[in-house]
């Protein structure tokens, strides 16, 4: 322990305190010959990027909840207006390509990219990509989800639609990656601008909850209009959090601040049914938070 204290630059008694805290948290195991990483902690170390991203975001979200909890419970618009969390997600900074907007947007795009790096797999595991040739990922952020799809399906090409600053960061994210050559970015405001056509697979991943019901409904209607006949639309979207039997702790803060926006699948199914889509299926995928996985086919011959 003395040698370890010297290497860490800590007094032995302070190192002993730190080791005790880490052992109690399941990070370290104390053994006769010294301390070592606990097996469970060693198992999650390959996801160190995700752990660090979540810790950084949790620090801001937890502070918002600590200082603004009455507003979070009773006045969500006031909470959003004063919180560091929602100040971070400023979409109005995503239109003009300035150094300031790129720097501000990079902070949250880096976080969502890291989440998607781990969330894409469980969704794509459940989707048959072999039937499709062209993917349109609406609100596709940095292209991470589209890139994972292209990596699984060598025949697939993808178009990512998002705001101009986000698309610029997306090109940076995929630069030098093999699947980046098959992923194009289409900068626009998908709520108002014309959407690209000619795609037989369309995805919404963690984007529809960003918008009120009427705007989410309008987005789905616009998307359905440009999907190729017989094509498939997939929604992979956070579902409401369980409100019983789950402890609210520091790690849950990032999801808790967005909890009011995670809606049931009813709205999505209703819109797809109204558009005449068939083969509508809806299930839950249990990740850190539950995800809806909704699939539907547009009327027409299969492409």
């Amino acid at each position: 322990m003395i040698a370890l204290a010297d290497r860490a630059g800590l007094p032995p008694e302070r190192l002993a305190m730190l080791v005790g805290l880490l052992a109690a948290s399941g990070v370290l195991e104390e053994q006769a010959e010294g301390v070592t990483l606990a097996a469970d902690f060693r198992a999650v170390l390959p996801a160190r990027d995700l752990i660090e991203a979540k810790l950084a975001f949790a620090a801001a979200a937890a502070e918002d909840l600590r200082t603004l909890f009455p507003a979070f419970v009773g006045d969500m618009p006031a909470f959003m207006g004063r919180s560091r969390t929602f100040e971070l997600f400023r979409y109005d900074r995503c239109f003009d390509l300035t150094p300031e907007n790129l720097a501000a947007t990079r902070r949250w795009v880096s976080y969502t990219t890291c989440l998607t790096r781990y969330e894409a797999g469980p969704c794509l595991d459940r989707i048959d990509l072999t039937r499709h040739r062209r993917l349109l990922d609406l609100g596709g952020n940095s292209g991470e989800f589209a890139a994972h799809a292209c990596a699984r399906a060598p025949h697939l090409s993808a178009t990512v639609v998002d705001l101009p600053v986000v698309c610029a960061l997306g090109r940076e994210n995929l630069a030098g990656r093999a699947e980046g050559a098959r992923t194009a970015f289409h900068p626009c405001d998908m709520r108002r601008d014309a959407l690209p056509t000619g795609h037989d697979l369309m995805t919404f991943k963690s984007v529809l909850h960003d918008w009120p019901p009427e705007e989410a409904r309008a987005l789905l209607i616009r998307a359905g209009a440009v999907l190729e006949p017989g094509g498939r639309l997939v929604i992979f979207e956070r579902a409401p959090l369980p409100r019983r039997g789950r402890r609210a702790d520091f790690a849950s803060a990032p999801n808790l601040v967005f909890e009011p926006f995670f809606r049931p699948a009813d709205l999505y199914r209703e819109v797809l049914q109204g558009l005449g889509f068939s083969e509508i299926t809806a299930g839950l995928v249990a990740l850190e938070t539950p995800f809806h996985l909704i699939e539907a086919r547009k009327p027409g011959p299969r492409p």
Side-chain angles (χ1 to χ4, degrees), residues 122-185:
C123 173
L124 295 170
D125 287 343
R126 294 164 169 82
I127 297 175
D128 180 7
L129 297 174
T130 62
R131 302 183 310 189
H132 301 284
R133 293 294 179 268
R134 298 193 65 200
L135 163 66
L136 183 64
D137 191 19
L138 291 165
N141 203 261
S142 67
E144 191 69 23
F145 184 84
H148 279 260
C150 287
R152 288 168 174 249
H155 61 280
L156 191 69
S157 64
T159 302
V160 174
V161 170
D162 217 309
L163 298 173
V165 174
V166 179
C167 285
L169 295 172
R171 295 187 188 98
E172 179 184 302
N173 178 47
L174 298 190
R177 293 167 60 172
E179 57 273 15
R182 290 184 282 125
T183 304
F185 287 87

Side-chain angles (χ1 to χ4, degrees), residues 126 237 239-240 282-286 290-293:
R126 294 164 169 82
E237 180 60 73
L284 284 176
V285 180
F291 273 76
H292 299 301
L293 178 57

Side-chain angles (χ1 to χ4, degrees), residues 210-291:
D210 282 346
W211 307 106
E214 61 275 13
E215 291 199 50
R217 185 186 303 274
L219 275 171
L220 283 171
I221 292 171
R222 301 188 84 231
V226 300
L227 180 64
E228 288 288 287
R232 187 162 44 149
L233 188 147
V234 176
I235 299 170
F236 193 54
E237 180 60 73
R238 282 178 166 78
L241 301 177
R243 296 185 177 178
R244 297 289 186 273
R246 183 165 181 158
R247 185 178 63 184
D249 53 18
F250 178 80
S252 67
N255 295 319
L256 187 58
V257 293
F258 293 112
E259 185 272 344
F261 307 102
F262 301 155
R263 60 174 65 97
D266 300 0
L267 180 144
Y268 309 132
R269 287 198 301 252
E270 174 192 323
V271 175
L272 294 172
Q273 289 168 352
L275 293 174
F277 277 63
S278 62
E279 300 175 22
I280 301 173
T281 63
L284 284 176
V285 180
L287 301 182
E288 182 190 26
T289 65
F291 273 76

Side-chain angles (χ1 to χ4, degrees), residues 70-89:
F72 174 70
V73 174
D75 189 346
M76 196 63 191
F79 176 80
M80 293 171 65
R82 296 166 58 192
S83 73
R84 292 169 57 193
T85 306
F86 288 93
E87 172 64 19
L88 180 66
F89 289 86

